[in-house]
Amino acid sequence: MDNVLTQLRDIVGEPWVLTGADMAGYDRDWTGAYISSPLAVVRPVSTKEVSRIVALAYEHEIPVVAMSGNTGLTGATQTHGGLIIALDRMTKIRSLRPDARVVVLEAGVILAQLHAAAEEHGLIFPMTFGAKGSARIGGMLGTNAGGSNVLKYGNMRDLCLGIEVVLPNGEILDLMTELHKDNSGYDLRDLMIGSEGTLGIITAACLTLVERPLAYATAMIAVPDLGSALRILHRLQKETGGAVEAYEYMPAAYMRAFQELRPELRPTFEQIYAVNILVEMGTTISELAHEQEDGTRPLNQNIEAILAQYLEEGTILDASIAQNETQRQAMWEVREAAAEISLKTTPLVNNDIAVPVDKVGYFIETMDAQIAETWPEAKTMYVAHLGDGNIHYVVWPNVDDDGVKNDIMEAVEDLVAELGGSFSAEHGIGLGKRPSMARRKLSAALNVMRAIKSALDPKNIMNPGKVLPE
Ligand SMILES: Cc1cc2nc3c(=O)[nH]c(=O)nc-3n(C[C@H](O)[C@H](O)[C@H](O)COP(=O)(O)OP(=O)(O)OC[C@H]3O[C@@H](n4cnc5c(N)ncnc54)[C@H](O)[C@@H]3O)c2cc1C
């Protein structure tokens, strides 16, 4: 192995091969639940270097694990004895072409860095979520990340035109197209996206940018129940010309938990409602965004009028509209504390599930009732991207018993399956969801995935032991 370390130092330079205590920070995941003992952490600065590292690992049959921001929530970057290839020095934006609405960038660019670069051109990269200050493009593509505004803009697959990938034998596969239409054979880009570093290492990508909304109207609304919440979303879309970008559900228990977490902040409403929704609408129409003499904008006036009407009819129970950017950010702070709130209590059964959008209410009511009846000691905590049917449904069983945790997980998966849903919506499989993969994924689908994996990675060096069950 000394020989391999020497060769790695030759490839990237002495300072960029970390071993022993220098690997601190790379040797555990964001949750702290998955600890690694890597052979070394290598920090390349170019695609060529990644290619040479992977070729070396292939020759010596050493597992390689791609790591970008290390904010993944499924233990997908854990390794014992493998090489971690950290993309955190590959942070160049190669080009940003406003007219083509594309940005070509390296895999180590942090999401917030991309946001800032797009803003300079009056554009946005529309994906955003709580880990935006740390998650990097390579990992976001590796997991096919979603987030708060998939409702309007889609997930990473929808926002990616091309990628550059280093294959398990070190070969560079250049799929860096900027085309919106390309039906020339199998879609290898979409195969790589979401494969969690098990088929190749993404070193660069070409992503789409969109027009930056000139103004946002952001509100917290309280509605009578989840069924009406979906109808309100459809009505809002109709009455605003499809301007709703985010529609995020938070129940009473979540609002209480946030108050406990951040007692210094004033709660949005004086009372705690059962169904709270953070709704955000954006406009690119200058007449709607134009600030009037009194500081208001027509967009906000429109939303105020719409919500006042809903209040009068009893369609909604309460509403608070952000009057400025500070208030808007404060509303988002409530929603973006979800991972912190859900993961701080242990033991927990963590579910990132998707059901058809009109089944979210049924799922939550049915599951809550079943949990209360079967495990009366347990508590639930959840938030949902209501507009796309993704629920982060966490159960705190109040007892550290693997049998109980497994039974709860299976009960959740049973109902998800019955509703035609998925046991993994946006976080991926990694290690944590492999048992669900074994239980729930169609065996025909698993067989195809295994065939692809062994064709591309015959020595099984790319993030082995992740995604596919034994
Ligand atoms: C506070 C918080 C909020 C979050 N909110 C959301 C959310 O709303 N939506 C959401 O989807 N996720 C969310 N996540 C999860 C996480 O941020 C995403 O999964 C993100 O996409 C991971 O990016 P990363 O750069 O941290 O990847 P990493 O954690 O470094 O890696 C994740 C996976 O991708 C693989 N990978 C990394 N780099 C590459 C590469 N270059 N090529 C190929 N594979 C690679 C890794 O091997 C691993 O399998 C949240 C996490 C936190 C901590």
Side-chain angles (χ1 to χ4, degrees):
M1 280 307 152
D2 283 352
N3 176 34
V4 170
L5 292 177
T6 306
Q7 290 187 63
L8 287 171
R9 289 186 183 108
D10 287 345
I11 295 169
V12 294
E14 177 93 28
W16 310 116
V17 179
L18 312 180
T19 53
D22 290 343
M23 297 191 292
Y26 296 91
D27 61 353
R28 64 195 57 227
D29 74 327
W30 187 85
T31 67
Y34 296 93
I35 309 295
S36 289
S37 46
L39 169 67
V41 175
V42 198
R43 301 177 61 205
V45 77
S46 67
T47 303
K48 261 201 184 122
E49 286 186 1
V50 175
S51 159
R52 289 180 63 199
I53 297 163
V54 175
L56 183 69
Y58 186 74
E59 186 192 332
H60 293 272
E61 300 197 19
I62 300 169
V64 291
V65 178
M67 181 183 284
S68 287
N70 201 20
T71 65
L73 299 173
T74 63
T77 49
Q78 190 186 51
T79 177
H80 296 294
L83 271 184
I84 290 183
I85 301 188
L87 281 303
D88 53 2
R89 290 178 65 223
M90 294 185 55
T91 55
K92 277 192 224 76
I93 294 188
R94 292 183 186 165
S95 67
L96 192 155
R97 304 209 330 278
D99 284 349
R101 298 289 194 262
V102 296
V103 57
V104 178
L105 75 183
E106 292 181 343
V109 171
I110 292 177
L111 177 56
Q113 185 192 345
L114 171 56
H115 286 163
E119 282 253 2
E120 280 177 27
H121 297 269
L123 299 170
I124 56 167
F125 179 67
M127 174 156 300
T128 186
F129 52 85
K132 58 183 173 284
S134 316
R136 296 173 190 265
I137 299 308
M140 291 168 58
L141 287 165
T143 56
N144 186 28
S148 304
N149 48 22
V150 166
L151 169 66
K152 175 149 178 144
Y153 300 106
N155 51 26
M156 281 306 276
R157 260 196 197 105
D158 301 305
L159 294 166
C160 179
L161 295 172
I163 52 171
E164 178 187 83
V165 195
V166 172
L167 296 174
N169 62 3
E171 196 181 338
I172 299 168
L173 179 61
D174 184 346
L175 303 170
M176 286 294 273
T177 174
E178 296 182 7
L179 302 177
H180 290 268
K181 291 185 173 178
D182 178 7
N183 281 350
S184 55
Y186 301 151
D187 194 333
L188 301 179
R189 174 198 60 190
D190 276 2
L191 175 64
M192 292 292 167
I193 298 174
S195 66
E196 302 183 42
T198 60
L199 300 177
I201 298 185
I202 298 166
T203 48
C206 175
L207 304 176
T208 37
L209 302 173
V210 298
E211 208 61 45
R212 177 167 61 89
L214 298 171
Y216 287 104
T218 308
M220 194 74 86
I221 57 175
V223 309
D225 51 57
L226 274 173
S228 61
L230 190 62
R231 288 192 295 277
I232 293 166
L233 168 62
H234 296 326
R235 194 170 152 191
L236 272 171
Q237 290 288 41
K238 192 168 159 199
E239 290 170 3
T240 62
V244 180
E245 302 198 355
Y247 201 69
E248 301 287 301
Y249 161 59
M250 291 161 282
Y254 181 85
M255 300 310 265
R256 273 191 217 103
F258 183 77
Q259 277 179 19
E260 273 169 34
L261 184 75
R262 304 294 306 274
E264 74 281 10
L265 299 180
R266 225 180 96 218
T268 316
F269 298 126
E270 275 170 18
Q271 73 182 89
I272 300 235
Y273 292 99
V275 181
N276 305 273
I277 302 201
L278 172 62
V279 53
E280 182 156 279
M281 288 148 283
T283 186
T284 54
I285 301 169
S286 51
E287 291 78 37
L288 288 178
H290 185 68
E291 197 171 301
Q292 321 280 297
E293 271 175 21
D294 62 0
T296 62
R297 296 170 199 271
L299 173 72
N300 290 66
Q301 288 163 352
N302 288 356
I303 300 310
E304 261 176 52
I306 290 172
L307 294 181
Q309 163 80 19
Y310 291 5
L311 269 171
E312 204 179 303
E313 315 165 345
T315 304
I316 63 174
L317 306 174
D318 213 337
S320 169
I321 301 175
Q323 299 301 324
N324 49 47
E325 186 57 23
T326 312
Q327 288 183 10
R328 174 178 175 239
Q329 290 307 333
M331 284 183 184
W332 274 108
E333 207 178 317
V334 180
R335 172 59 185 84
E336 290 184 345
E340 201 180 338
I341 287 172
S342 307
L343 305 183
K344 85 174 180 357
T345 303
T346 52
L348 83 163
V349 181
N350 195 5
N351 295 284
D352 160 42
I353 56 172
V355 294
V357 287
D358 60 344
K359 303 282 194 322
V360 173
Y362 177 81
F363 172 85
I364 287 174
E365 272 167 30
T366 312
M367 207 63 242
D368 275 2
Q370 193 181 333
I371 301 266
E373 194 186 319
T374 320
W375 297 282
E377 300 293 304
K379 286 202 171 91
T380 58
M381 176 59 67
Y382 40 78
V383 291
H385 304 292
L386 206 54
D388 63 36
N390 178 190
I391 313 163
H392 298 298
Y393 190 87
V394 168
V395 185
W396 296 324
N398 201 22
V399 40
D400 202 0
D401 179 324
D402 284 347
V404 170
K405 285 193 272 184
N406 199 54
D407 288 349
I408 292 175
M409 183 73 86
E410 291 237 32
V412 170
E413 287 173 9
D414 280 343
L415 186 56
V416 166
E418 191 185 311
L419 298 177
S422 168
F423 56 86
S424 175
E426 61 179 10
H427 294 162
I429 304 298
L431 278 178
K433 289 292 170 188
R434 274 199 337 159
S436 311
M437 200 66 173
R439 284 193 291 256
R440 303 289 169 178
K441 199 77 190 172
L442 284 179
S443 62
L446 284 176
N447 289 341
V448 173
M449 289 185 203
R450 287 197 180 100
I452 292 170
K453 170 75 174 163
S454 61
L456 289 183
D457 185 15
K459 295 187 181 178
N460 193 24
I461 65 157
M462 279 277 158
N463 212 358
K466 313 294 163 41
V467 181
L468 294 171
E470 290 301 330

